[in-house]
Amino acid sequence: MPLPASDTDARISRRAVLAGFATGGLVTTSGCVRRARSIVGRDDPDPLSLTITTVPDDVDRHAVVIADTLKDNLEAVGIDVSIDYRAVEEFYREVLINHGFDLFVGRLPDLSDPDDLYEALHSRFVDESGYQNPYGYANLAVDDLLERQRRTDGEERRAAVADLLEAVVVDQPFVPLAVPVEHRLVRTDRIDGWNGRDLTTRRGFLDLEPADGVDDLRAVVTDPRVTENFNPLSAAYRNQGLYVDLVYDSLALVDGDELRPWLAEGWAWSDDQDGTDADSLEEPTTGRTVTVTLRPDLTFHDGEPLTAADVAFTYRLVADTTLGAGSVRSPASRYRGRVSVIDALEVHDERTLTITTSAGREATARAFTVPILPAHVWEERTGTAQLTGVSVAQGTTEAVVTDNVPPVGSGPFRFVDVSERQSLSLERFDDHFSLRVDDLPAPTVETFSTHVEPRSPAAIEAVEGDSADVTIHPLESYTIDDVTETTDVELHTQPSRVRYLIGFNARRAPFANPNARRTVARLLDKSHLVDSVFGGHAEAVATPLTGEWVPDDLAFDGEDPAVPFFGTEGDLDAEAARDAFERAGYRYDPSGSLLVRR
Amino acid sequence: MYVQVLLRVSVVVACMLVVATAVIVGRHRLRTTVGDLVPRLRAVAPVVVVLASALLFNGVARQTVPDLSWILDWNFTWVIYDFEGGFIVWLQSFEHPVFTAYFSFIYIYGYVFMLIFPVIAYLALSDTRPARELFAAYTLNYVLGLFIYVIVIAYGPRNVMPEVIEPLLYDTYPRYQHLTRQVNRNTNVFPSLHTSLAVTVSLLAYRTRAIYPRWNSLAGFLGLSVAISTMYLGIHWAIDVVAGALLAWIAVWLSARLVGRFSLADAVRRYRTRSSETDAGRPPVDTAGDTTGEEAADRLE
């Protein structure tokens, strides 16, 4: 790209002035010096050049094609674009941990509960690393609404969430694009009961119905990260955390929309009238406590008992992986939002602890879904990670960088063996409480083996060829229409908690400016993308939350209600988009490049 | 699945080798080889050990290479894409099921055949120098290739242009990805090791054209096919192929200069003569592998 004329002029004049100083002949009066200072002291805005961070096709074809479309449309409005393709763990490391991006295109797991937005957008997290506010977004009005949905329950919370979504949509800290429909292939001749299950959580793999003589479940994954790292706190290596969910337990079990007591026998809210009912939600909402009682005789896979101290330890570790010993606090990069509802913790005995919180019941209960880590394994991981000869960033504790192999959990399945990028084997944990307590969903198969296939077509072949029973990761949408269902092989469909989005880095110009974010948001035709990229196997969205949370005026009805596309049917009206940038105060140079001061 | 694919490739390549050996090497050479095989193997053993260690090291290093590369983070994907993205699109505009079948076959079977056949052909020669140069050139390819892989991160065309480039091989034959995944990670496309090894074989075939004129023509054709197949299938960029050819040339050039320079047999002989000073008889070790570089080059060209 040629240098813009103004920039060249500025350089020449600067050089001329310096030359003047050097010869000492021209500058004789103070007025002249002041004028020279005024000339050299001004920096011009430069033609904007952006990098889109995304993943390669082997990881996610949808992201690659969306990034390419976005690149074309950004170029059409006079922005120079390059694309940075990164391996999947490197993508999340760069985006979530190092914040080294201008804008990214990709999928983020778990943006489906209103309180997920608290973690994603609250300004208290701008300086932390992980899923907490990777965008560097800060808006005091949004902070207020995030607090309000957290404090309240029931109808009041619903209203707060509607207000929150209205505010977020105006500001576009990120652009929610689509919610995919997840398709998986399952074999029903060996193991049945897949129907209607959520195969992204532990619950989906409990109470399965193996045929007579079948005692092994054979899964196939297309993302090898689980064979490389088993750290529940790693943002770079975890997706939705199914395997963590199988090997680790949490206080409560996510069962559809319901939270059922799991490690906890039950919990009692201090403001309950009768002290037992966990379902009545219309109560005052400040300074409450909740007392959690664990089931008796819980153990980790290594035989050590699981006690209330382990629960408290886990919550403290997530809030600060140095456990207060570090020179700065170093929160974990996952579960941070959920644990931040906890104001204080008190362990009474081996089985009971009390949590003090200023949040409502709905938000507080989400802390019950955090995997409980064994204190006796993790308390040695609170020191700063060491690497000879390399200076390690402050707060990089062993807990956040360990690969945690072999993992010691208490979940229904126990880790047996792993072969990097090849396979992972788990076996049923026969001492698991679910096998001795009635009415709890329990593991039915003895072994849970997983092998890695490169991509969806190979995973489909594995299930069709009877070397696997289930594809753990959703099939890529371009392969779905080619799947032939038989009596033994069925497509399993479920809504997704994953969101495809464009994330802006508000720490970098021009994305600190909501107008710039809004205009970029209007460069993509979401409903067209759903057809062309997802083959219709997704739903275009205007808000990160879906379903009951979305107020009527923000429902996506063929067009985005807040940031409608500049153009029709995927064809961009570049003039309209350029006008929008100019209305927002940006200027174009004569060659048509958008100028931005960075 | 991996084992199945491996078995299938082995069977097909074995058939190809049998036919090619019969046609190109000939019965006469094979017969003399049988009697002479042990001393010949002894002569190539040192360089085979070097190659085997290089491959073993490669196998171990492959797990760590991506992590090392990401620490350096020299990602050239966009630079290459921006520079020559149109070429692969143009090449794929000739897509036809016949081409796809042919190039897929070449990429997997033709390539493996091409690497193994010269081993047989050159061991069938009483002069072991071509065989030793072959192994040395393979070693250099792997060692230099691995070094560049550590430094450069680059994804191939199929990984960045899925809507334009049909990832022909892996979508048509997903099972092949099992095989190639064992050998290469998807960040390692620069240079094309497929091209460099195939071109290495072609260049060596040219040097032995006096002995194996038919192999020279076949290797030239196969080498070109492999190079085109990597681009046609959307696996490599044109730059990777050019770099691969360059790497091949360097490997062949270096191997011609290195082979014969360090002779294990010589060292053994010197040691033995020294330890039995008085014995003026001829060296006890077979000399089949010890012709000097100049002599061998004279004989070959």
Side-chain angles (χ1 to χ4, degrees), chain B residues 169-239:
Chain B
L169 183 65
Y170 300 135
D171 278 2
T172 324
Y173 312 100
R175 65 194 88 101
Y176 287 140
Q177 205 161 359
H178 291 283
L179 200 62
T180 52
R181 200 170 46 121
Q182 304 296 326
V183 188
N184 261 327
R185 292 284 282 268
N186 58 6
T187 44
N188 294 345
V189 301
F190 181 90
S192 160
L193 217 52
H194 246 74
T195 305
S196 78
L197 285 165
V199 171
T200 296
V201 171
S202 304
L203 291 175
L204 289 172
Y206 180 75
R207 291 170 59 106
T208 56
R209 67 190 180 282
I211 305 166
Y212 289 127
R214 283 187 198 157
W215 171 237
N216 179 32
S217 326
L218 180 63
F221 180 73
L222 283 178
L224 193 66
S225 293
V226 168
I228 296 175
S229 75
T230 63
M231 295 183 283
Y232 176 83
L233 298 171
I235 294 163
H236 284 291
W237 305 98
I239 286 175

Side-chain angles (χ1 to χ4, degrees), chain A residues 257-276:
Chain A
D257 293 335
E258 202 190 342
L259 277 185
R260 294 172 61 177
W262 188 243
L263 281 178
E265 200 168 57
W267 45 84
W269 304 92
S270 59
D271 45 13
D272 271 341
Q273 300 306 320
D274 56 354
T276 52

Side-chain angles (χ1 to χ4, degrees), chain A residues 73 521-528 559-560 563-573:
Chain A
N73 291 353
R522 298 185 63 186
L523 296 178
L524 283 184
D525 187 344
K526 295 178 184 177
S527 47
H528 186 259
E559 188 180 63
D560 194 300
V563 281
F565 176 57
F566 288 122
T568 45
E569 295 296 312
D571 289 327
L572 178 73
D573 179 352

Side-chain angles (χ1 to χ4, degrees), chain A residues 492-508:
Chain A
H492 173 280
T493 307
Q494 69 175 70
S496 182
R497 285 180 286 138
V498 167
R499 301 292 181 262
Y500 275 87
L501 51 89
I502 302 173
F504 297 112
N505 193 344
R507 303 170 190 87
R508 296 187 181 181

Side-chain angles (χ1 to χ4, degrees), chain A residues 55-59 61 64-65 68 71 75 81-87 89-90 93-94 228 237 420-422 452-455 457-458 461-462 467 478, chain B residues 1-2 63 66-67 70-71 73 75 77-78 81-82 153 155 158-165 167 170-175 177-178 181-182 185-187:
Chain A
V55 289
D57 185 56
D58 273 348
V59 177
R61 176 164 302 181
V64 175
V65 182
D68 216 47
K71 178 202 73 147
E75 283 177 344
V81 180
S82 62
I83 305 181
D84 186 13
Y85 300 96
R86 308 187 72 84
E89 65 275 16
E90 296 298 331
R93 214 189 313 266
E94 195 68 2
E228 298 171 326
Y237 285 93
E420 212 169 283
R421 300 181 72 83
Q422 305 280 339
V452 181
E453 291 283 354
R455 291 189 69 153
E461 260 193 11
S467 60
Y478 76 101
Chain B
M1 192 66 92
Y2 172 56
Q63 303 291 334
D67 284 330
W70 284 111
I71 290 176
D73 202 1
N75 192 337
T77 316
W78 178 257
Y81 179 17
D82 209 27
I153 296 170
Y155 286 100
R158 67 179 182 87
N159 251 316
V160 303
M161 296 193 278
E163 74 280 38
V164 200
I165 297 275
Y170 300 135
D171 278 2
T172 324
Y173 312 100
R175 65 194 88 101
Q177 205 161 359
H178 291 283
R181 200 170 46 121
Q182 304 296 326
R185 292 284 282 268
N186 58 6
T187 44

Side-chain angles (χ1 to χ4, degrees), chain B:
Chain B
M1 192 66 92
Y2 172 56
V3 178
Q4 261 169 282
V5 179
L6 203 62
L7 197 67
R8 191 191 164 99
V9 172
S10 312
V11 170
V12 173
V13 171
C15 294
M16 292 164 77
L17 288 171
V18 169
V19 174
T21 309
V23 175
I24 295 171
V25 178
R27 200 177 299 168
H28 172 72
R29 278 210 186 85
L30 280 181
R31 210 175 299 138
T32 55
T33 306
V34 174
D36 208 16
L37 193 61
V38 175
R40 284 183 202 175
L41 287 179
R42 200 180 296 148
V44 298
V47 64
V48 170
V49 170
V50 174
L51 174 61
S53 357
L55 287 178
L56 274 177
F57 175 72
N58 213 24
V60 179
R62 209 176 295 130
Q63 303 291 334
T64 18
V65 162
D67 284 330
L68 276 178
S69 306
W70 284 111
I71 290 176
L72 288 175
D73 202 1
W74 288 353
N75 192 337
F76 283 83
T77 316
W78 178 257
V79 179
I80 301 174
Y81 179 17
D82 209 27
F83 177 70
E84 60 139 303
F87 177 75
I88 304 293
V89 176
W90 175 80
L91 193 66
Q92 279 215 333
S93 64
F94 297 102
E95 188 199 334
H96 188 278
V98 174
F99 289 155
T100 306
Y102 172 72
F103 284 121
S104 303
F105 179 82
I106 287 291
Y107 187 81
I108 303 286
Y109 301 95
Y111 171 70
V112 176
F113 163 76
M114 223 185 150
L115 296 197
I116 299 177
F117 176 72
V119 175
I120 299 171
Y122 292 157
L123 279 179
L125 300 178
S126 56
D127 176 10
T128 58
R129 186 173 172 92
R132 287 181 294 146
E133 282 193 10
L134 178 77
F135 291 125
Y138 283 176
T139 310
L140 286 164
N141 268 297
Y142 278 111
V143 171
L144 296 175
L146 185 73
F147 179 70
I148 306 176
Y149 284 163
V150 173
I151 298 176
V152 175
I153 296 170
Y155 286 100
R158 67 179 182 87
N159 251 316
V160 303
M161 296 193 278
E163 74 280 38
V164 200
I165 297 275
E166 302 271 330
L168 294 168
L169 183 65
Y170 300 135
D171 278 2
T172 324
Y173 312 100
R175 65 194 88 101
Y176 287 140
Q177 205 161 359
H178 291 283
L179 200 62
T180 52
R181 200 170 46 121
Q182 304 296 326
V183 188
N184 261 327
R185 292 284 282 268
N186 58 6
T187 44
N188 294 345
V189 301
F190 181 90
S192 160
L193 217 52
H194 246 74
T195 305
S196 78
L197 285 165
V199 171
T200 296
V201 171
S202 304
L203 291 175
L204 289 172
Y206 180 75
R207 291 170 59 106
T208 56
R209 67 190 180 282
I211 305 166
Y212 289 127
R214 283 187 198 157
W215 171 237
N216 179 32
S217 326
L218 180 63
F221 180 73
L222 283 178
L224 193 66
S225 293
V226 168
I228 296 175
S229 75
T230 63
M231 295 183 283
Y232 176 83
L233 298 171
I235 294 163
H236 284 291
W237 305 98
I239 286 175
D240 308 334
V241 170
V242 172
L246 196 69
L247 173 59
W249 186 80
I250 293 170
V252 170
W253 184 82
L254 271 179
S255 72
R257 259 137 207 85
L258 294 176
V259 167
R261 181 160 293 189
F262 315 101
S263 170
L264 190 63
D266 275 346
V268 172
R269 190 171 29 202
R270 269 199 302 277
Y271 174 77
R272 290 206 181 171
T273 0
R274 210 179 304 143
S275 59
S276 51
E277 293 278 19
T278 50
D279 184 0
R282 50 181 225 76
V285 181
D286 190 283
T287 54
D290 296 322
T291 41
T292 65
E294 282 79 1
E295 279 166 20
D298 288 347
R299 209 177 306 160
L300 294 173
E301 286 168 356

